[in-house]
Amino acid sequence: MAGYIGRFAPSTTGPLHAGSLVAALASWLDARAHGGRWLVRIEDVDRPRCVPGADRAILAQLAACGLLPDAPPLHQSQRGTRYRQALDALLAAGHAYPCGCSRRDIETALAKAGQPRPRGSELVYPGTCRGGLQGKPARAWRFRIPDSMPNGAAAGISSSRHATFSVANDEGDELDWFDRRLGSQRQNVAREVGDFVLLRADGLWAYQLAVVVDDADQGVTDVVRGADLADNTPRQILLQRALQVPTPRYLHTPLVLGANGEKLSKQNGARAIETGMPAAAHAALATAAAVLGLPPHAGPTAAALAAWVDAWRALYNPRSQ
Ligand code: GLU
């Protein structure tokens, strides 16, 4: 497809593991299956969680697997000026506001409202500072979720065919969006997430803002990433609309689960994939391909990748064959 731009956007919290290789391979295959470009974006905006040198290690692992980006990687740590411009634009248009609440303040407000703190999930911000800081110093900046959300096409903002708002109901508007693997999705962002953070109290840019600004600036047409990020998508679509940038198509890949049944991560023992020898790199790729439902291939890796591009096209993009 002419104009296709895809990307793989690893956080530099460590080298690639079996789970992150699935997202890398899927995004590469989708770009190749569309005759498009494939970019790598180094998501090193959360400095305290970043491991020095992980960006180089990830790029070396990708190269050993035959996954080579079509342009030099972009580093989010270099992009503060653009994120600031985006936040200023959102503030000027009334889509963002400063918040003076600590975590404790939010917990207290939620308890008062009879909404006990959900275990193990983010707090839904009760909107305390929506109307102003009431003398408190600003700590963080939040996105103001629209009270009622116009249909994207009617508002003349979104270029997406898929992301439209359904009609309002008693609990506020739901955002409907489409995933190329999971099908129709919907989320009531106001109720399930609340006004979310764009610039954190520790001065770090939030993932939601960085990812939307970067996808737009890089002209990304297709986001292919792990299913753990699917429920972030409605927040990103709201930000795209507020910033008046296009909404890409989305495809969220199956997750690789760790021994505890949770998404594989460094915290639950994910080991770096072994790519030192060609056979090891091929084995890692073959495991990732199996997670994506692609047939086994004995190699060599270049031949396997070519076969998987065809298999991918048949699975996820049958009309373009
Ligand atoms: N940096 C994120 C991660 O490694 C992925 C972000 C994205 O693909 O939107 O989980």
Side-chain angles (χ1 to χ4, degrees), residues 7 9-11 43 207 211 225 229:
R7 62 19 168 225
S11 300
E43 302 218 323
Y207 158 68
V211 84
R225 60 186 177 191
L229 293 164

Side-chain angles (χ1 to χ4, degrees), residues 157-160 216 220 240 244-248:
I157 293 174
S158 173
S159 68
S160 167
V220 169
Q240 288 151 5
Q244 304 193 18
V245 297
T247 290

